[in-house]
Amino acid sequence: MENTIFSILPPIIAIVMVLLTRRVLLSLGTGIVAAAVILTWFAPIDALQELVKSFTIIFWDEGFNAYNVFIILFLLLLGIITAFVSLSGGSHAFAEWASTRIKSRRGAKVLTVVLGIVIFIDDYFNALAVGQVARPITDRYKVSRAKLAYFIDSTAAPVCVISPVSSWGAAIIGIVATILAGQTFVEYSALEAFLWMAPMNFYVVASLAIVFFVAIRDVDFGEMKKHEVLAITKGQLFDPKKTIPGEMKEEFPSHSYGHVRDLLLPILLLIVGTVGAMIWTGYQNAGHVFDIWLIFENTDVPASLLAGGILGALTSIILYVLQMKKNETATVGWIGKGIWAGLKSMIGAVLILVFAWSLTSLIGSLETGAYLAGVVSDGNIPTSILPVLLFVLAGIMAFSTGTSWGSFGILLPIAGTIMIEAEPSLLLPALSAVLAGAVFGDHCSPISDTTILSSTGAGSNHMDHVLTQIPYALTAAVIAAIGYIVIGLTGSLLLSLGTVALVLAVLFIVWSRRTTIIEKQQNA
């Protein structure tokens, strides 16, 4: 049943179940079983073997699977950092320090968005690092964890996908170079093509504009509004009855010996260690050639994250040990308790990630992505609507498979082949549409690893994050689709960008009036 309509059933089952039950592990598990059964034509023994294989290859795939194992270890190390930052009083001290400079909820939200844009090296790293820095401040000003997760998720992948100096940019430039190889009509390099594609990524343009507007003005809909109202009126940042990945369950002793450095120094060294390791591994893998583009194309992101995580965790523990001389509550016994509390806090996130990887592996065996891609490439479709169609298809593929990388990895070569043959002038808009759709689908998918990590970094319940982010992502997607329709019909970047900007301006005016009316009603 590979590469057939039946291949889309497992992700649909998992997604529908998770939306209906909000029990992520149960839903992912059901999708995994369904995928194994369909893949083996309902043969029980073979299905069981496929299930075991899908989990085994996460850790051992013709050798040690360092990529996945290092990501898991990084998550656990992040839990340890979080525990010791809390244990040493760093989170409280940073919140106190920030309160003298950040004077409002708006300031806390804008700071989070700015941090999300500044840390653009990798989306995994962005999602987890920004959460650690911003959470004490947003908690202080009663910004719900769901909104914090939205800010993190909507500035991670969107910035990485248009930044040439990032793990995403390096991979995309490599794929684009392959597409352009041997095309005599092409007058630009892969890097130049990537830079031209950035402003054509209308989903990124729309989503970043919306996230800034939401940070400045309280524009909340549906589930997000419920979370924000509870946060503002009752101080309830999240539902305590739900599973919150990364949340400390241990009651640490309170004291006044914490310093801002107890939070900032571990995070700073985490960043320095990760970026330094990315440069070093990229330099090694590139044949000791110091070319920044080549380095980021060949960098080992999971190993770099692990190196940075180890450095950050050791720093957080050392800073706590240094408190023992003057802090009577700081004892050797609490070191073990802190490590255990940090590990336990990440178990939920690790399990969700492992289940998502297993489902992704089985979906890959079913060739779900290839089937969806074939829907477009086999059809007799006008070239003018191909950009918007590729955007929608990439969104569906990423939503169904939970991976933006897998989606654009499959669709970019297909889109390139179609456009080179059918309409070379729309090659770059079509490739940009694929990247935009992949990020959009990833934003909405409850089985996406970056969505999982964003909720983990924010300390938000996973499904709360998914359901609260979807309205904003869909809004940005509709605006992006309009842009791709315009560029497909006219071929003009300026006209399509102008259209996107105009629609955003009208939307913001409507939202501003709506917000003003609500504020007047609240003050009446």
Side-chain angles (χ1 to χ4, degrees), residues 359-417:
L359 181 58
T360 300
S361 171
L362 289 167
I363 288 171
S365 298
L366 283 168
E367 299 180 22
T368 304
Y371 168 74
L372 291 171
V375 172
V376 166
S377 59
D378 293 340
N380 186 16
I381 301 166
T383 56
S384 60
I385 67 167
L386 277 175
V388 69
L389 197 60
L390 286 166
F391 170 72
V392 173
L393 179 61
I396 293 172
M397 187 184 294
F399 181 78
S400 302
T401 60
T403 168
S404 50
W405 280 57
S407 301
F408 68 65
I410 292 171
L411 271 183
L412 281 177
I414 292 172
T417 302

Side-chain angles (χ1 to χ4, degrees), residues 200-253:
M200 297 179 190
N201 196 320
F202 302 133
Y203 179 76
V204 167
V205 172
S207 61
L208 289 179
I210 289 172
V211 80
F212 261 110
F213 187 83
V214 170
I216 295 170
R217 301 292 299 267
D218 287 317
V219 181
D220 304 313
F221 306 100
E223 289 292 315
M224 185 70 85
K225 185 174 182 179
K226 295 177 184 177
H227 283 269
E228 284 292 275
V229 168
L230 285 173
I232 295 170
T233 60
K234 298 183 179 180
Q236 183 177 314
L237 305 177
F238 55 87
D239 189 341
K241 297 178 182 178
K242 295 180 180 178
T243 303
I244 311 295
E247 194 66 28
M248 295 294 110
K249 305 298 181 183
E250 203 84 22
E251 270 304 322
F252 293 141

Side-chain angles (χ1 to χ4, degrees), residues 158-177:
V159 177
C160 289
V161 79
I162 60 172
S163 170
V165 188
S166 72
S167 55
W168 285 58
I172 294 166
I173 290 170
I175 297 172
V176 171

Side-chain angles (χ1 to χ4, degrees), residues 96-145:
E96 291 291 333
W97 173 83
S99 67
T100 63
R101 291 158 177 81
I102 307 296
K103 299 294 186 179
S104 64
R105 292 183 84 246
R106 178 179 297 175
K109 291 184 291 181
V110 170
L111 174 65
T112 303
V113 173
V114 171
L115 285 172
I117 291 173
V118 169
I119 303 177
F120 56 81
I121 297 297
D122 182 72
D123 58 327
Y124 283 10
F125 179 59
N126 179 302
L128 297 167
V130 173
Q132 295 301 301
V133 175
R135 198 193 306 178
I137 307 170
T138 54
D139 280 1
R140 184 180 186 87
Y141 285 101
K142 298 180 180 180
V143 177
S144 68
R145 296 286 180 82

Side-chain angles (χ1 to χ4, degrees), residues 405-429:
W405 280 57
S407 301
F408 68 65
I410 292 171
L411 271 183
L412 281 177
I414 292 172
T417 302
I418 294 171
M419 299 314 297
I420 287 171
E421 293 294 329
E423 186 56 65
S425 64
L426 291 178
L427 173 62
L428 296 188

Side-chain angles (χ1 to χ4, degrees), residues 18 22 24 144-147 149-150 223-224 227 236-244 451 455 459-471:
V18 83
R22 302 198 184 188
V24 181
S144 68
R145 296 286 180 82
K147 179 160 275 191
Y150 161 64
E223 289 292 315
M224 185 70 85
H227 283 269
Q236 183 177 314
L237 305 177
F238 55 87
D239 189 341
K241 297 178 182 178
K242 295 180 180 178
T243 303
I244 311 295
T451 306
S455 55
S460 167
N461 174 264
H462 177 57
M463 282 312 300
D464 284 347
H465 167 45
V466 172
L467 295 176
T468 52
Q469 177 165 259
I470 284 177

Side-chain angles (χ1 to χ4, degrees), residues 202-517:
F202 302 133
Y203 179 76
V204 167
V205 172
S207 61
L208 289 179
I210 289 172
V211 80
F212 261 110
F213 187 83
V214 170
I216 295 170
R217 301 292 299 267
D218 287 317
V219 181
D220 304 313
F221 306 100
E223 289 292 315
M224 185 70 85
K225 185 174 182 179
K226 295 177 184 177
H227 283 269
E228 284 292 275
V229 168
L230 285 173
I232 295 170
T233 60
K234 298 183 179 180
Q236 183 177 314
L237 305 177
F238 55 87
D239 189 341
K241 297 178 182 178
K242 295 180 180 178
T243 303
I244 311 295
E247 194 66 28
M248 295 294 110
K249 305 298 181 183
E250 203 84 22
E251 270 304 322
F252 293 141
S254 58
H255 59 81
S256 58
Y257 296 100
H259 297 280
V260 172
R261 68 168 182 266
D262 295 325
L263 180 142
L264 290 185
L265 193 57
I267 298 299
L268 178 62
L269 290 179
L270 173 70
I271 294 171
V272 171
T274 300
V275 175
M278 288 178 74
I279 294 173
W280 176 250
T281 57
Y283 175 72
Q284 293 287 321
N285 295 334
H288 299 86
V289 176
F290 197 84
D291 182 318
I292 194 66
W293 313 114
L294 201 58
I295 284 173
F296 276 91
E297 182 179 346
N298 290 277
T299 191
D300 189 335
V301 173
S304 302
L305 287 172
L306 180 61
I310 292 172
L311 184 59
L314 287 175
T315 302
S316 65
I317 294 172
I318 290 170
L319 288 172
Y320 178 71
V321 170
L322 293 176
Q323 284 190 359
M324 289 183 180
K325 294 181 180 179
K326 55 182 180 180
N327 180 0
E328 62 276 6
T329 65
T331 63
V332 174
W334 273 107
I335 295 177
K337 291 179 181 178
I339 292 173
W340 180 237
L343 294 175
K344 284 196 302 181
S345 71
M346 287 296 174
I347 294 300
V350 168
L351 286 176
I352 293 173
L353 196 56
V354 167
F355 273 53
W357 279 336
S358 173
L359 181 58
T360 300
S361 171
L362 289 167
I363 288 171
S365 298
L366 283 168
E367 299 180 22
T368 304
Y371 168 74
L372 291 171
V375 172
V376 166
S377 59
D378 293 340
N380 186 16
I381 301 166
T383 56
S384 60
I385 67 167
L386 277 175
V388 69
L389 197 60
L390 286 166
F391 170 72
V392 173
L393 179 61
I396 293 172
M397 187 184 294
F399 181 78
S400 302
T401 60
T403 168
S404 50
W405 280 57
S407 301
F408 68 65
I410 292 171
L411 271 183
L412 281 177
I414 292 172
T417 302
I418 294 171
M419 299 314 297
I420 287 171
E421 293 294 329
E423 186 56 65
S425 64
L426 291 178
L427 173 62
L428 296 188
L431 297 181
S432 294
V434 169
L435 297 175
V439 174
F440 161 57
D442 190 74
H443 272 169
C444 297
S445 177
I447 62 174
S448 160
D449 49 4
T450 49
T451 306
I452 294 165
L453 293 177
S454 294
S455 55
T456 300
S460 167
N461 174 264
H462 177 57
M463 282 312 300
D464 284 347
H465 167 45
V466 172
L467 295 176
T468 52
Q469 177 165 259
I470 284 177
Y472 300 100
L474 284 174
T475 303
V478 170
I479 296 171
I482 294 171
Y484 288 118
I485 290 172
V486 173
I487 202 169
L489 293 172
T490 67
S492 170
L493 173 59
L494 288 178
L495 187 58
S496 52
L497 265 179
T499 303
V500 168
L502 179 62
V503 175
L504 282 168
V506 172
L507 179 67
F508 292 161
I509 291 171
V510 172
W511 279 355
S512 295
R513 288 179 177 176
R514 178 180 179 275
T515 306
T516 303
I517 291 170

